[in-house]
Amino acid sequence: MVRYAALKGLYDLEKTIGSGGFAKVKLATHIATGEKVAIKIMDKTALGVDLPRVKLEVEALKTLLHQHICRLYQVIETESHYFMVIEYCSGGELFDHIVEKNRLSETESRKFFRQIVSAVAYLHSLGYAHRDLKPENVLLDKEENLKLIDFGLCAKPKNGIESHLQTSCGSPTYAAPELILGKKYLGSEVDIWSMGVLLYALLCGFLPFDDNSIESLYRKILSGKYDEPSWLSNSSKKLIRAMLQIDPKKRITIQELCNHPWITAEFLNPVSFVHKTNFEKDDDVLSTMSAICGEHALEIWKKLVKSDRTDYKTATYLLLLDRKLRGLSLRISHSAKSHFKSECESEANSIISKLDYSPRSKSTKRSPVSNTVYNPLPKTPENVSNFMEPHLPGRKRLRSKETDDVCSPVPVKRVAEKDKVISTPTSTPIPDSKGTQSSTPGSARKVIMGIERGLNRVRCVLTPKRRMKNENIDPDQPNVFSGKGLCNVSSTNSDDPKYVLSQLRRALRRKGIMCHQKGFILQGETEDCTEDEKDTTRPFSTRNTCSFELEVCLLDGVTSDKLLVGIRRKRLKGDAWVYKRVCEEVLALAAEDLSTEPECSTESKCPI
């Protein structure tokens, strides 16, 4: 049963893949085509002052058409909710991809960064500035192509991209010096700075400017001084320096980036993009829809041209177009037909009533449909498009006086696990309790392998892509995950999940992290209580909150003889780097309690 009446007969909702303060993102199936989409569901009553940002994001996505920017299929507005139907991305965040690999090679970083440069150059050519570029706002499709998301902070100055802006927004660790100083700025120049921080994170696995204290962080950014690890090539160092110039007038431009030698190396051609804002006309797709609808293809196209992405027919056209660009046949699935027939008494009111339906329309036109049987169009041998299946999550970003956060799904990659971890004695869980917030240690532990590889004596195995068929539904027993397709799971040698759970609770208390327990799942939330939210001299809100989930589980397929106890990690909302640091510290504390071996003295560089 569809919970939301506006989606009934149009989309089949599935699991929640992201959530936040006022919105959640669900995986769904577009009934007419059978394609997977992501639907961002926003409660209007909870939006408050963020409502204009939602409208801004919608209007921007209606205009933007680029292979590395997420595609908006449909927007449905009711009295109580907004529904944004977007491309679904199964590869997760670029941030998680960096965490998984510790840091990326120069070749892989170049591949990703070229795609980011192409998307940003396209944005700037249309007069838009993104203003919140960071790895959490870049998703990967199943082919590992990037999709830029989250345009809630984008700006389009009335007098063009070279017009100055005043609103300080974005994430502090990616903020340009002029933003911190509260000066007027050019959107294109602050985007270049953020791209410099992003490239540094790709190549190094940590941020160039990072500190638990917001004042110290600002001082580091304003100084422009950062470490250059020995593994960086000279050409990489030069490019990062060109982007991280304190004086925005000395910063490299997007046009120069497209032609930079580091960007063109191994590709032998500069970054390019197609300047377009209207989706293309495709006769094959129109013919397919005509066969379904019983309406002439030309009439369908005339309606699509005038569409503002609020109708189901436009979403159907765009999804069929994406199928063709991926070399797939154009068809309506049998499940969709049977679904429509079950909803309507007559065949004439089945598919057509859904294709013409718009929740905002006061009336709908229904055309008679003949009992037409058509053959799927042949697969096209042309180059496959990059329009695949991303997910659009909103993300928490820090701005002048308000915040917004929606989480995105975890990636579904797999990496090789390595050594093993110490065994532990058994015990009983510690009773539920709450702790008070305490400040986290300094951010000297920069290397991102801290979560995936460098946790003190905790081995990385990987987060479940899928659970086993015999998943345990007993609340008194942990879930069992397959050893295949896992990521973001640390394993131990313990065979007692209740003891591991008790040690996790103890570690959370020692960190002063608020904790709620449900079965073998612990939900923690951190909060920076040292800030003064009433300090209007600060250009950003500096509230470093982070919500995350730790689940004690059993891992099958890790060893041949027995199930191991694992700890699954998932960020629910908040800053990704705060999440990384907090999980790193909590799991390290838990590992100390579980360990019977002496600790490694080198921080974040213990053998796995």
Side-chain angles (χ1 to χ4, degrees), residues 221-238:
I221 293 174
L222 293 176
S223 73
K225 296 179 180 178
Y226 56 89
D227 294 332
E228 292 182 334
S230 59
W231 60 78
L232 287 178
S233 67
N234 289 331
S235 57
S236 296
K237 292 177 182 178
K238 289 179 181 179

Side-chain angles (χ1 to χ4, degrees), residues 108-160:
E108 188 174 14
S109 296
R110 180 180 292 107
K111 167 198 165 186
F112 285 152
F113 197 66
R114 279 178 63 92
Q115 296 179 6
I116 294 171
V117 170
S118 177
V120 174
Y122 169 79
L123 282 176
H124 290 181
S125 72
L126 296 180
Y128 284 95
H130 189 280
R131 301 199 299 180
D132 198 18
L133 295 170
K134 54 186 178 180
E136 302 96 295
N137 286 341
V138 181
L139 299 180
L140 295 170
D141 65 18
K142 61 185 178 183
E143 301 298 330
E144 290 196 356
N145 291 305
L146 298 189
K147 301 285 182 175
L148 188 59
I149 65 167
D150 210 341
F151 289 81
L153 295 180
C154 75
K156 187 179 183 182
K158 293 181 180 180
N159 296 323

Side-chain angles (χ1 to χ4, degrees), residues 454-576:
L455 293 177
N456 192 9
R457 298 299 186 181
V458 177
R459 172 179 60 180
C460 164
V461 229
L462 301 175
T463 276
K465 179 179 180 181
R466 63 181 184 276
R467 296 186 176 183
M468 297 176 61
K469 292 183 178 179
N470 61 340
E471 177 183 346
N472 201 327
I473 60 175
D474 186 349
D476 294 328
Q477 295 296 326
N479 287 318
V480 179
F481 295 122
S482 170
K484 297 181 178 180
L486 299 176
C487 61
N488 293 334
V489 173
S490 299
S491 71
T492 71
N493 267 355
S494 174
D495 58 0
D496 189 342
K498 290 185 177 181
Y499 179 71
V500 175
L501 183 67
S502 70
Q503 299 311 308
L504 273 181
R505 290 193 55 80
R506 181 181 177 186
L508 288 166
R509 285 204 312 274
R510 289 172 63 183
K511 289 298 299 177
I513 296 174
M514 295 182 293
C515 175
H516 302 279
Q517 179 177 348
K518 184 177 180 181
F520 283 83
I521 297 177
L522 298 174
Q523 288 189 348
E525 182 174 357
T526 66
E527 183 173 323
D528 183 0
C529 297
T530 62
E531 63 162 327
D532 182 1
E533 292 184 35
K534 297 181 180 180
D535 185 358
T536 56
T537 63
R538 293 178 176 178
F540 300 92
S541 167
T542 59
R543 193 174 184 82
N544 287 324
T545 59
C546 175
S547 297
F548 59 93
E549 186 176 275
L550 298 175
E551 179 182 3
V552 175
C553 56
L554 296 176
L555 303 176
D556 183 37
V558 178
T559 61
S560 58
D561 52 347
K562 63 178 181 178
L563 294 177
L564 291 182
V565 177
I567 303 172
R568 179 186 65 86
R569 306 179 301 280
K570 180 180 180 182
R571 177 163 60 96
L572 301 178
K573 62 181 179 180
D575 185 84

Side-chain angles (χ1 to χ4, degrees), residues 11 31 65 135 144 196 232 248 281 297 355 397 458 515 519 539 587 608:
Y11 299 93
I31 292 175
L65 288 173
E144 290 196 356
L232 287 178
K281 180 181 179 182
L355 289 178
R397 77 248 332 138
V458 177
C515 175
L587 294 185
I608 303 168

